[in-house]
Amino acid sequence: GMRMIIVTAKHHDGFCLWPSRHTGHSVRSSPWRGGKGDIVAEVSAACREAGLAFGVYLSPWDRREPTFGDSSRYNEHFRAQLRELLTGYGPVAEVWFDGANGEGPNGKRQEYDWPSYYALIRELQPEAVIAIMGPDVRWVGTESGYGRETEWSVVPVNLRELPAAGLEAAFLPMDMTQPDLGSRQRLREATALLWYPAEIDVSIRPGWFYHAAEDGRVKSPEKLVDIYYSSVGRNGVLLLNIPPDRRGLIHERDVEALEGMRRILEATFAANLAAGAGIRASSEEPGRPPSAVLDEDPGTYWSAADGATSAEIELDLVAEATFDRAMLQEHIRAGQRIEAFVLESWDGSAWRACAEGTTIGYKRLLRFPPVTARKVRLVIRRSRSNPTLSAFGLYLAPKD
C-alpha cells in the first residue's frame, strides 16, 4: 500500500550512493559492481517500474567533506550534489532534509543556506515536496510514529516583513515540535499562517540501519497497524523506515511484518458499512449536500451553510450493522476547520457517544469498542468556519 520510496542517497557519513562527480567518497570508489554501480539509479528505475513515486534524502551534515564548515564553499558543494540528484534520475517527488548539524572533519560547524537549496529544487523539480527542514512538510517532533491527538496543518509563522519574492525566500527551518502548534491562541500571535502538514517517521526496527542482531525485534503487524492509526489516522503522513540488509534486500522478517500489516488494513477497510445509507445534515451550503461524503469522489464534499460553526450529519444505515472503526476526511482544499466533534450511535432510546476528537484534517481514523446500530450521528461541536467533510466511513476490524 505504499506510494513512495525515499532513498537515503547520502547520510551524515558523507558516502554517496550515486557516483557523484564532487567527491571520491561514493559508490564509484567501491568494489560493488566494479565501481560502476549507482544505487540511486536502480531505486529510481524500480520505482518507475512499480508505479511508485521516488524521493531522495540528502543529509546537509557531512562528516567527511573537507569544505564542511567553510560555509560558502560547502554550500556550493552541497548544491552541486543536489543538482546531480535532481537532474539525473527522473521526476523527484520529495526531497528530505535532515536537520542534523554537527562538526565536520575540521571541527567546524556549517551555516546552511536553506533558501538557496529551496530555490534550486523549485528550479529543477518544481513538483517536489521539500520536507522536514523545508517549507512544505514539517517533522512531527518525535521518531516514534505517533502524531498528536490534535494535529493542525495550519500553523503560525512569525515574520517581520514578507519579502517580494514570497514566504519561501524568507523561510528558515523552525522548531515545530511543541504540543500546541495551531490553536486559536497560537494563531492570534502569528504574523502569517502557513499550510504545513506533518510527516511522521519511525523505523520498523529499533534503529535506522540493518543489524542482524535486531532480526528478532522487528515491529509486529499489530504494532505497525497501531502506528498507522496514530499517524495517517491523525492527519499525518507515515514515513516508515525499512533498512536493506547486507544482501541489498528487505529482510524476510520485515517483509512478513509489512504483509501482516497490509492484511489487517485490507480486512478492516474492505467494506464501508455506511455505503448506501440515507443521510441528512442540519445545515448545508447550496450544491454541497451531505450525500457527497458517501460518493467516493474526493472532489465532492458536504459543507454547512456559510456562517455555521457547528452542525450535525445523521446516517440511517441500510440495515443494523456492527462497527468499531470510523474514518473522517475534511475537504482540505477549503482549509482545515473542525476543532471538536463526537460520533454517536442510536441505541433505540438515546444517542450514545462512540468516540470523540478534535482535529480531522486530511484523515482521522477512530477506534472504539464494537457498536451495533442502524443510526449514526456525527456532531461537529466547533469549527473555525462552516465545516466541510469529503468522506465518511464505518468499518469492522478483524478479530485477533
Side-chain angles (χ1 to χ4, degrees):
M2 298 178 183
R3 298 183 181 181
M4 176 168 62
I5 288 178
I6 300 175
V7 63
T8 306
K10 183 191 78 168
H11 205 254
H12 309 327
D13 60 358
F15 186 78
C16 298
L17 300 188
W18 79 100
S20 174
R21 297 187 301 274
H22 303 284
T23 180
H25 196 48
S26 80
V27 288
R28 192 193 302 275
S29 302
S30 166
W32 177 70
R33 301 209 191 287
K36 299 186 182 299
D38 187 336
I39 292 175
V40 175
E42 292 194 22
V43 173
S44 174
C47 283
R48 286 194 296 273
E49 180 180 348
L52 292 166
F54 169 71
V56 294
Y57 168 117
L58 186 66
S59 170
W61 183 21
D62 193 318
R63 298 170 63 186
R64 191 179 189 280
E65 170 56 39
T67 63
F68 189 87
D70 184 342
S71 292
S72 61
R73 290 181 62 202
Y74 179 75
N75 282 323
E76 184 177 352
H77 167 84
F78 187 77
R79 286 190 297 269
Q81 290 196 320
L82 186 58
R83 181 179 290 274
E84 288 181 323
L85 292 173
L86 298 178
T87 57
Y89 300 97
V92 175
E94 181 165 324
V95 179
W96 210 101
F97 287 141
D98 199 303
N101 188 354
E103 295 181 352
N106 52 14
K108 295 181 179 179
R109 291 181 179 269
Q110 172 72 23
E111 291 185 14
Y112 300 139
D113 186 0
W114 294 110
S116 75
Y117 306 163
Y118 307 152
L120 186 64
I121 297 167
R122 298 301 191 220
E123 173 194 345
L124 299 176
Q125 294 281 350
E127 298 298 315
V129 169
I130 308 174
I132 311 308
M133 303 302 287
D136 298 333
V137 174
R138 62 180 164 83
W139 181 47
V140 77
T142 73
E143 295 179 339
S144 66
Y146 289 77
R148 298 169 183 79
E149 286 280 358
T150 299
E151 194 70 73
W152 287 104
S153 295
V154 179
V155 298
V157 179
N158 289 306
L159 296 173
R160 292 184 178 179
E161 182 179 354
L162 187 64
L167 175 64
E168 195 165 291
F171 183 89
L172 291 175
M174 62 194 89
D175 180 6
M176 301 298 293
T177 61
Q178 306 95 329
D180 175 14
L181 293 180
S183 67
R184 292 193 186 211
Q185 180 59 40
R186 291 295 306 275
L187 298 190
R188 274 193 288 267
E189 300 167 355
T191 57
L193 302 180
L194 179 66
W195 184 266
Y196 206 20
E199 189 172 88
I200 302 170
D201 59 334
V202 66
S203 182
I204 197 170
R205 288 167 172 258
W208 294 95
F209 300 94
Y210 176 80
H211 300 286
E214 295 178 351
D215 286 349
R217 300 177 65 192
V218 176
K219 290 180 174 62
S220 68
E222 292 75 20
K223 179 64 172 178
L224 293 175
V225 168
D226 187 55
I227 286 171
Y228 181 88
Y229 277 102
S230 305
S231 53
V232 175
R234 292 181 181 173
N235 189 36
V237 173
L238 174 60
L239 179 60
L240 182 60
N241 178 71
I242 308 165
D245 62 18
R246 292 183 64 84
R247 300 170 297 173
L249 302 175
I250 304 302
H251 192 272
E252 292 82 357
R253 293 284 181 87
D254 302 59
V255 172
E256 182 181 0
L258 291 167
E259 290 179 340
M261 173 193 186
R262 174 48 44 187
R263 282 194 296 271
I264 294 171
L265 292 176
E266 286 181 344
T268 301
F269 296 104
N272 182 357
L273 301 174
I279 186 167
R280 65 180 185 83
S282 61
S283 171
E284 64 182 80
E285 191 176 274
R288 303 296 180 193
S291 58
V293 307
L294 299 176
D295 66 7
E296 299 186 0
D297 181 350
T300 63
Y301 61 99
W302 161 80
S303 175
D306 190 33
T309 56
S310 62
E312 297 179 6
I313 295 179
E314 185 176 325
L315 296 92
D316 185 351
L317 307 182
V318 175
E320 192 174 71
T322 300
F323 49 89
D324 58 7
R325 302 288 188 268
M327 183 274 293
L328 307 170
Q329 290 187 276
E330 282 183 82
H331 182 69
I332 58 171
R333 289 186 178 275
Q336 187 182 355
R337 306 181 180 189
I338 296 173
E339 293 180 301
F341 68 91
V342 59
L343 180 68
E344 300 174 334
S345 63
W346 179 255
D347 69 359
S349 59
W351 289 105
R352 306 291 183 185
C354 304
E356 59 184 309
T358 52
T359 47
I360 295 176
Y362 164 70
K363 183 175 288 186
R364 187 65 181 243
L365 297 174
L366 304 168
R367 292 177 286 182
F368 44 88
V371 172
T372 300
R374 176 162 178 165
K375 291 185 178 181
V376 178
R377 183 171 71 174
L378 176 67
V379 180
I380 299 171
R381 291 171 167 170
R382 191 170 63 255
S383 182
R384 292 178 171 178
S385 181
N386 50 316
T388 73
L389 208 65
S390 66
F392 177 84
L394 296 172
Y395 306 92
L396 182 64
K399 294 182 180 180
D400 295 336

